[in-house]
Amino acid sequence: MGKRTSNKPGERRVTAVEVARRAGVSQSTVSRVFSAPNAVADATTLRVLEASEQLGYNPNALASSLITRRTNMIGLVMAEITSPFYPYVLEKFTQRLHELDRRVLLFSTGPNKEVDDVLPDVLRYQVDGVIIANVTLTSKIVDACVRRGTALLLFNRYMPDTRANAVCCDNLNGGRMVADVLLDAGHTRLAYIAGKQNTSTNLDRERGFGERLRQRGHTVWLRAQGHYTYESGYAAALELLQRSDPPDAIFCANDIMALGALDAAHDQGVAVPGQCSIVGFDDIPAAAWASYALTTMRQPVDTMIDASVQLLLERIEQPSLPPVTTFLPGQLVRRSSARLLHESTQ
Amino acid sequence: MGKRTSNKPGERRVTAVEVARRAGVSQSTVSRVFSAPNAVADATTLRVLEASEQLGYNPNALASSLITRRTNMIGLVMAEITSPFYPYVLEKFTQRLHELDRRVLLFSTGPNKEVDDVLPDVLRYQVDGVIIANVTLTSKIVDACVRRGTALLLFNRYMPDTRANAVCCDNLNGGRMVADVLLDAGHTRLAYIAGKQNTSTNLDRERGFGERLRQRGHTVWLRAQGHYTYESGYAAALELLQRSDPPDAIFCANDIMALGALDAAHDQGVAVPGQCSIVGFDDIPAAAWASYALTTMRQPVDTMIDASVQLLLERIEQPSLPPVTTFLPGQLVRRSSARLLHESTQ
DNA sequence: CTGAAAGCGCTTACAG
DNA sequence: CTGAAAGCGCTTACAG
């Protein structure tokens, strides 16, 4: 049918030139109709739109990005999408960015992959900005972005004194608050189930918790190592509860471990919160489920995401703005897994 | 410092021309080093690579895609990323595609958005293929893709007699199998908690379940409407269990509702599986947790994803291949929430 | 308000 | 094996 015989894919894609021909205008005018509508007379716009409709024209976003140097794509790097709380983060980021007419180019570093390996791939696609969540950082990442002039935002981690912007839950203070409410309620034998070593979230939560315990005269507490999974929380709690001096309160570095801890307590016949209080961090949906009713520090996810998007887009518009690190406070959600004073002072 | 004074973002990005100048070769040669390395002499390659290294050159993937008509980007549309089981799907797709040197352009249709609204945005970015998961379909989607010659793959849904490829769990047969094992074990008062109306997964699971019940002489069973959430499963189960003739087995259209149902049973003092068996569908991680130990139909996710990726990439290479719809069998995972025969015949 | 032309950063026949 | 040149599909001064 066509005069061009070709079986190459995409040969039939319609371009602005064809629309122009059909509408009897120049290709420039077609372009303007889609990129600067106000610059075109109404009648002309109408003709162009009509021709576009008939031909099924859809402007090529990549071709235009080549010259505008804006792709409206944001690279989002997330190590484990399945780790609790992050699916929500990903969904919110994607929807929020789409509302603002930005697309998400998603990267998930596998178990063997480093972010450093993946970042060149991200940058090759000329993303306007990069969001790093849930990933171990190195300063190389910052360097690579700075070099290309790509705005960088760290989500729930931070690198002070670099060009990286960051939005974090105030994990340090969250740890302190948990220590406070547990001590206020009279708990005396405290324990901490740690998340993955060297993650900034775990570091800060543990530091805040420990610091406050010491400040209030508690110099000894139990500690078990988990790695942010249900199974590790279960195992760690089991270990703690089977001791001759079991804790009367356990602070878990995230919710999913706290759910494991609750199940371990249940299986050991330890009454919660009667014999032992259990507190988590995150407030994932399952924390609210009837079997768990977990008391936990809620991360202000929506606020964090809104702040992240705003910060990032601002830096894209104005690369000269100084980098900013923002900490947002968490909020204690009281359910029934911890014995707390009714209206504890924070 | 530079002779060009400009504060436009990206002005400093290094191109193949600069590398060529530094390496003392033509820009074509630089291009070949990165896109067809075998076509260049070793010594030349070395010089180019060195110059690239020094300048921090990273080829612009979008510029090259303009002429190759391949972006190596796959558009992935997912309605609710947070709905159980889909975070894993997303993670796997992303990692698998990245291994094969493809990128994922992610779209999550918000509650108000239709896929139809979002698809033009996907296509504008010249993706080589589109994966639709977890989304209500219309034939417009298929049309839009066919028109542009973009390969289309439906994940866990299907549209026979169109150009859309599909990879599905065999939900129909899964429903049958659940009916079989429950009847085999002597359950007599069966109930179904439905997922979202008009989702193909719910339709097929319910149809298979009902069909087999009728075939085996059961013409009456209970049905409650859920919508694939924990809360709706809880509420539906509560309603069923509070009846004067409560069911002795409940099949839930997905796991998350089954978890709600288990908690409802627990809160009602109904012994599981003593008084009532509960079976789910999916085998999400929480199904294995100690408090739940849910018996469920496992979807063969990894196989489904591998098949999807392979099918899609094949159609991208050879657009003339006929569309294919593949159904992959689920597998019953026996835990302790259902009273079943020990070695039931499937 | 509109068009002709240059150019974004690559790939790829074509010729040597 | 290498280079000069055309071209992918747009945007955007520039001139009218």
Side-chain angles (χ1 to χ4, degrees):
Chain A
M1 277 183 96
K3 53 185 172 184
R4 291 183 172 194
T5 44
S6 165
N7 49 15
K8 267 202 176 174
E11 196 72 28
R12 297 227 135 264
R13 284 170 198 175
V14 17
T15 71
V17 173
E18 295 163 55
V19 175
R21 194 150 38 215
R22 180 158 198 136
V25 298
S26 73
Q27 180 268 322
S28 316
T29 298
V30 174
S31 173
R32 287 194 189 98
V33 167
F34 290 94
S35 60
N38 296 335
V40 182
D42 286 358
T44 314
T45 301
L46 229 60
R47 286 220 310 288
V48 170
L49 254 24
E50 207 171 339
S52 300
E53 181 79 12
Q54 287 165 2
L55 296 171
Y57 174 65
N58 203 0
N60 182 328
L62 303 187
S64 72
S65 79
L66 199 56
I67 189 135
T68 60
R69 294 158 164 288
R70 276 291 156 73
T71 58
N72 292 323
M73 295 197 291
I74 303 294
L76 179 44
V77 187
M78 198 175 266
E80 296 159 75
I81 295 171
T82 46
S83 80
F85 164 81
Y86 279 90
Y88 183 82
V89 171
L90 182 51
E91 180 172 302
K92 270 292 174 196
F93 262 125
T94 306
Q95 292 181 358
R96 190 87 193 85
L97 286 168
H98 196 260
E99 284 167 19
L100 300 169
D101 208 38
R102 301 306 201 288
R103 320 282 163 248
V104 170
L105 197 65
L106 178 65
F107 292 79
S108 174
T109 55
N112 312 323
K113 288 254 179 182
E114 292 282 320
V115 209
D116 296 39
D117 300 337
V118 106
L119 204 71
D121 292 332
V122 184
L123 296 179
R124 232 194 297 285
Y125 277 80
Q126 315 298 117
V127 295
D128 297 335
V130 172
I131 299 173
I132 308 259
N134 207 9
V135 153
T136 313
L137 294 173
T138 61
S139 56
K140 276 191 196 169
I141 293 174
V142 186
D143 292 345
C145 287
V146 168
R147 183 181 245 190
R148 263 194 83 262
T150 305
L152 174 60
L153 185 119
L154 310 179
F155 185 80
N156 231 355
R157 56 217 64 225
Y158 51 96
M159 295 187 81
D161 308 319
T162 68
R163 296 284 311 168
N165 302 282
V167 172
C168 281
C169 176
D170 190 343
N171 292 305
L172 192 68
N173 207 45
R176 288 191 196 114
M177 282 166 67
V178 172
D180 273 335
V181 294
L182 289 174
L183 293 180
D184 288 348
H187 296 88
T188 55
R189 300 186 310 283
L190 302 183
Y192 179 73
I193 298 183
K196 253 184 214 158
Q197 291 280 35
N198 296 327
T199 59
S200 73
T201 46
N202 180 65
L203 254 33
D204 284 354
R205 289 167 197 174
E206 179 161 15
R207 193 150 61 89
F209 185 68
E211 176 185 303
R212 185 52 51 92
L213 290 188
R214 275 190 299 274
Q215 284 174 354
R216 296 184 57 171
H218 292 253
T219 51
V220 178
W221 59 91
L222 290 166
R223 181 187 195 279
Q225 183 68 47
H227 42 271
Y228 280 151
T229 64
Y230 174 90
E231 289 75 15
S232 70
Y234 187 100
L238 206 62
E239 203 182 311
L240 292 172
L241 295 171
Q242 285 175 336
R243 296 172 56 96
S244 55
D245 59 338
D248 62 359
I250 303 178
F251 172 35
C252 303
N254 79 346
D255 276 1
I256 204 92
M257 294 198 299
L259 302 186
L262 282 168
D263 283 342
H266 181 260
D267 291 355
Q268 288 294 301
V270 173
V272 173
Q275 296 171 265
C276 184
S277 289
I278 293 180
V279 177
F281 208 114
D282 283 349
D283 196 28
I284 62 176
W289 292 359
S291 343
Y292 294 117
L294 179 69
T295 292
T296 185
M297 280 294 308
R298 174 181 293 163
Q299 298 205 55
V301 204
D302 288 337
T303 318
M304 287 165 70
I305 288 169
D306 287 347
S308 298
V309 168
Q310 195 192 326
L311 194 57
L312 185 66
L313 297 192
E314 270 176 16
R315 307 294 129 159
I316 291 170
E317 292 308 318
Q318 302 179 53
S320 56
L321 288 177
V324 164
T325 295
T326 307
F327 292 97
L328 293 165
Q331 184 198 345
L332 189 71
V333 178
R334 291 153 183 269
R335 298 201 183 90
S336 52
S337 70
R339 177 176 56 78
L340 300 183
L341 294 186
H342 271 301
E343 281 302 320
S344 164
T345 48
Q346 268 285 329
Chain B
M1 275 183 97
K3 55 185 170 186
R4 292 182 172 193
T5 42
S6 164
N7 48 16
K8 267 200 175 173
E11 196 72 27
R12 297 227 135 263
R13 284 170 200 174
V14 15
T15 72
V17 173
E18 294 164 57
V19 175
R21 194 150 37 216
R22 180 156 197 138
V25 298
S26 74
Q27 181 268 321
S28 317
T29 297
V30 174
S31 174
R32 287 195 189 97
V33 167
F34 290 94
S35 61
N38 296 335
V40 181
D42 287 358
T44 314
T45 301
L46 229 60
R47 285 219 312 287
V48 170
L49 254 24
E50 206 171 340
S52 301
E53 181 79 12
Q54 288 166 1
L55 296 171
Y57 174 63
N58 202 1
N60 182 328
L62 303 186
S64 72
S65 79
L66 198 57
I67 190 137
T68 60
R69 294 158 162 291
R70 277 290 157 72
T71 58
N72 293 322
M73 294 197 290
I74 304 293
L76 178 43
V77 187
M78 198 174 267
E80 296 160 74
I81 295 171
T82 45
S83 83
F85 166 82
Y86 279 89
Y88 184 82
V89 170
L90 182 51
E91 181 172 300
K92 271 290 176 198
F93 263 125
T94 306
Q95 292 180 358
R96 189 90 191 82
L97 286 168
H98 196 259
E99 283 167 20
L100 299 169
D101 208 38
R102 302 305 200 289
R103 320 282 161 247
V104 170
L105 198 64
L106 177 66
F107 292 80
S108 174
T109 55
N112 311 322
K113 288 254 176 179
E114 292 282 319
V115 208
D116 297 40
D117 300 336
V118 106
L119 203 71
D121 292 332
V122 184
L123 296 179
R124 231 194 298 283
Y125 277 81
Q126 314 299 115
V127 294
D128 297 334
V130 173
I131 299 174
I132 308 260
N134 205 8
V135 152
T136 313
L137 294 173
T138 61
S139 55
K140 275 192 197 168
I141 292 173
V142 185
D143 293 346
C145 286
V146 168
R147 181 181 248 190
R148 263 194 83 261
T150 304
L152 176 60
L153 184 117
L154 310 180
F155 185 81
N156 231 354
R157 55 220 63 224
Y158 52 95
M159 296 187 81
D161 308 320
T162 68
R163 296 284 312 167
N165 302 283
V167 171
C168 280
C169 178
D170 191 343
N171 292 305
L172 192 67
N173 207 44
R176 289 193 194 110
M177 282 166 67
V178 172
D180 274 336
V181 295
L182 289 174
L183 293 179
D184 289 348
H187 296 89
T188 55
R189 300 186 309 282
L190 301 183
Y192 179 73
I193 297 182
K196 255 184 212 157
Q197 292 278 35
N198 296 327
T199 60
S200 73
T201 46
N202 181 63
L203 254 32
D204 285 355
R205 289 167 196 175
E206 178 160 18
R207 193 149 60 87
F209 185 68
E211 176 186 302
R212 185 51 50 93
L213 289 188
R214 277 189 299 273
Q215 283 174 356
R216 296 185 59 171
H218 292 254
T219 51
V220 178
W221 60 88
L222 291 166
R223 180 189 196 278
Q225 183 68 46
H227 43 270
Y228 279 151
T229 62
Y230 174 89
E231 289 74 16
S232 70
Y234 187 100
L238 206 62
E239 203 182 311
L240 292 172
L241 294 171
Q242 286 175 335
R243 296 173 57 96
S244 55
D245 60 339
D248 63 359
I250 303 178
F251 172 35
C252 304
N254 79 347
D255 277 0
I256 203 92
M257 292 198 300
L259 302 186
L262 281 168
D263 283 341
H266 181 260
D267 292 354
Q268 288 295 300
V270 173
V272 174
Q275 295 170 268
C276 184
S277 288
I278 292 180
V279 177
F281 209 113
D282 283 349
D283 196 28
I284 61 176
W289 292 358
S291 344
Y292 294 117
L294 180 69
T295 292
T296 186
M297 281 293 309
R298 174 182 294 164
Q299 299 205 55
V301 205
D302 288 337
T303 319
M304 288 166 69
I305 288 170
D306 287 347
S308 299
V309 168
Q310 196 192 326
L311 194 58
L312 185 66
L313 297 191
E314 269 175 18
R315 309 292 130 160
I316 291 171
E317 291 309 317
Q318 303 179 51
S320 56
L321 288 177
V324 163
T325 295
T326 307
F327 292 97
L328 293 166
Q331 183 199 344
L332 189 71
V333 177
R334 291 154 182 268
R335 297 201 183 89
S336 51
S337 70
R339 179 175 54 79
L340 301 183
L341 294 185
H342 271 301
E343 281 303 318
S344 164
T345 49
Q346 266 289 324

